[in-house]
Amino acid sequence: MKRVLTYGTYDLLHYGHIRLLKRAKELGDYLIVAISTDEFNAIKGKKAYHNYNTRKEMLEAIRYVDLVIPEKSWEQKRDDVEKYYVDVVCMGSDWKGNEKFEDLRDICEVVYLDRTEGISTTQIKRELGLQPAVDGIDQIPEN
Ligand code: C2G
């Protein structure tokens, strides 16, 4: 079984994310997505509209995704590859050549997939005039 791992915030899920996840799954048989926690997003200088639990539940509903794990730091990638027996780490091409991924080439394949042009979470926020959700209202109802 070929295991694929990818990282991201995956806020305000859109077809660019879905196309990335579909192609990532096509690289193997099992796709793990490490989704940035709210705390790590703060380190990345990002404020997601949806909180971690909401973004995690939405990703888990996607047919291409087999497992969702938290991304808590830049430094965890090597441990993730070993802990989950990952064969391929893949990212969108905006990460192409980034040392955070290039440094993994001694323990796994690293693949960059073309980024989908014309869509981004930033663009959605800007065009919808979205403000960060007030705590709680973006929660997926329990039932
Ligand atoms: N993506 C894409 N096309 C878009 C938008 C995003 O292919 N139009 C890809 C990105 O290249 C990335 C994934 O979808 O591989 C998730 O995008 P983001 O949620 O924006 O992830 P990012 O903030 O880049 O976080 O440690 C790595 C970081 O966690 C990546």
Side-chain angles (χ1 to χ4, degrees), residues 9 35-36 38 50-59:
T9 301
I35 184 171
S36 309
D38 297 327
H50 289 303
N51 66 28
Y52 172 77
N53 287 332
T54 301
R55 290 182 283 118
K56 179 173 184 286
E57 282 197 40
M58 290 173 77
L59 270 187

Side-chain angles (χ1 to χ4, degrees), residues 46-112:
K46 281 190 159 186
K47 173 80 175 85
Y49 179 82
H50 289 303
N51 66 28
Y52 172 77
N53 287 332
T54 301
R55 290 182 283 118
K56 179 173 184 286
E57 282 197 40
M58 290 173 77
L59 270 187
E60 287 170 339
I62 297 171
R63 69 169 70 179
Y64 309 118
V65 177
D66 296 289
L67 176 67
V68 178
I69 62 173
E71 180 187 28
K72 299 179 180 175
S73 72
W74 291 116
E75 295 78 22
Q76 70 181 69
K77 296 179 176 60
R78 186 166 282 270
D79 291 344
D80 290 343
V81 169
E82 288 166 358
K83 180 177 176 183
Y84 294 97
Y85 305 99
V86 168
D87 300 292
V88 184
V89 167
C90 80
M91 291 298 290
S93 51
D94 46 318
W95 288 90
K96 192 174 180 68
N98 187 298
E99 63 181 19
K100 295 178 174 63
F101 297 98
E102 293 301 311
D103 288 352
L104 302 171
R105 286 194 184 281
D106 60 321
I107 56 172
C108 66
E109 273 182 77
V110 177
V111 173
Y112 301 104

